[in-house]
């Protein structure tokens, strides 16, 4: 099983991959936004629609659920990349990362994807 730092590195790589599909890179504020939103999330149990606790992302990262989560992180990067590209920017910033994270989480139906906090 990977550790928290390894899962976080995988999250960053997935988001960067999605942004790169739009020809956009992540800036330092995007990395900070990802760390602020997801580092502790990695070790927080998810919840079913009925409110029952399930394992943490760390516990499921190497399985099918982890693969599904990695796809969602790639989608976050792609959405953030589109936002940056629409502003004629070459890098995704923290605001685009936060809003894209929230939007993807809100539109997802998984035990770890219910947004706990809206973007500022």
């Amino acid at each position: 099983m990977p550790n928290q730092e390894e899962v976080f590195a995988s999250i960053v790589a997935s988001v960067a991959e999605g942004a790169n599909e739009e020809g956009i890179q992540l800036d330092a504020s995007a990395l900070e936004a990802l760390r602020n939103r997801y580092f502790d999330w990695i070790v927080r149990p998810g919840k079913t629609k009925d409110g029952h606790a399930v394992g943490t992302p760390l516990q499921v990262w190497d399985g099918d659920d982890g693969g599904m989560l990695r796809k969602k992180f790639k989608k976050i990067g792609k959405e953030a990349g589109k936002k940056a590209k629409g502003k004629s920017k070459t890098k995704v910033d923290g605001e685009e990362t936060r809003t894209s994270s929230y939007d993807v989480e809100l539109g997802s139906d998984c035990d770890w994807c219910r947004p706990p906090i809206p973007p500022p």
Side-chain angles (χ1 to χ4, degrees):
M1 180 168 68
N3 64 39
Q4 190 174 10
E5 285 290 344
E6 291 167 332
V7 170
F8 182 70
S10 180
I11 289 170
V12 170
S14 295
V15 173
E17 182 180 352
N20 286 338
E21 286 183 1
E22 295 297 320
I24 307 292
Q25 296 181 345
L26 305 179
D27 75 7
S29 68
L31 299 175
E32 181 180 353
L34 289 170
R35 182 169 282 279
N36 289 341
R37 190 166 187 94
Y38 295 112
F39 193 76
D40 290 339
W41 168 88
I42 293 167
V43 294
R44 194 176 307 136
K47 288 187 181 180
T48 64
K49 288 180 185 179
D50 301 336
H52 295 93
V54 295
T56 67
L58 177 66
Q59 292 169 319
V60 302
W61 200 253
D62 285 338
D64 292 341
D65 287 331
M68 174 269 302
L69 290 170
R70 286 187 293 281
K71 287 178 186 174
K72 294 198 182 296
F73 283 110
K74 184 176 177 181
K75 185 174 181 180
I76 288 169
K78 189 163 182 68
E79 294 300 316
K82 286 179 183 178
K83 289 176 184 181
K85 196 174 190 178
K87 298 174 188 174
S88 299
K89 295 168 49 179
T90 60
K91 293 192 176 186
V92 169
D93 65 21
E95 177 186 344
E96 292 147 351
T97 303
R98 284 187 296 276
T99 58
S100 296
S101 295
Y102 184 77
D103 292 346
V104 170
E105 290 174 32
L106 192 61
S108 297
D109 184 27
C110 80
D111 296 338
W112 302 274
C113 301
R114 292 177 187 87
I117 52 172

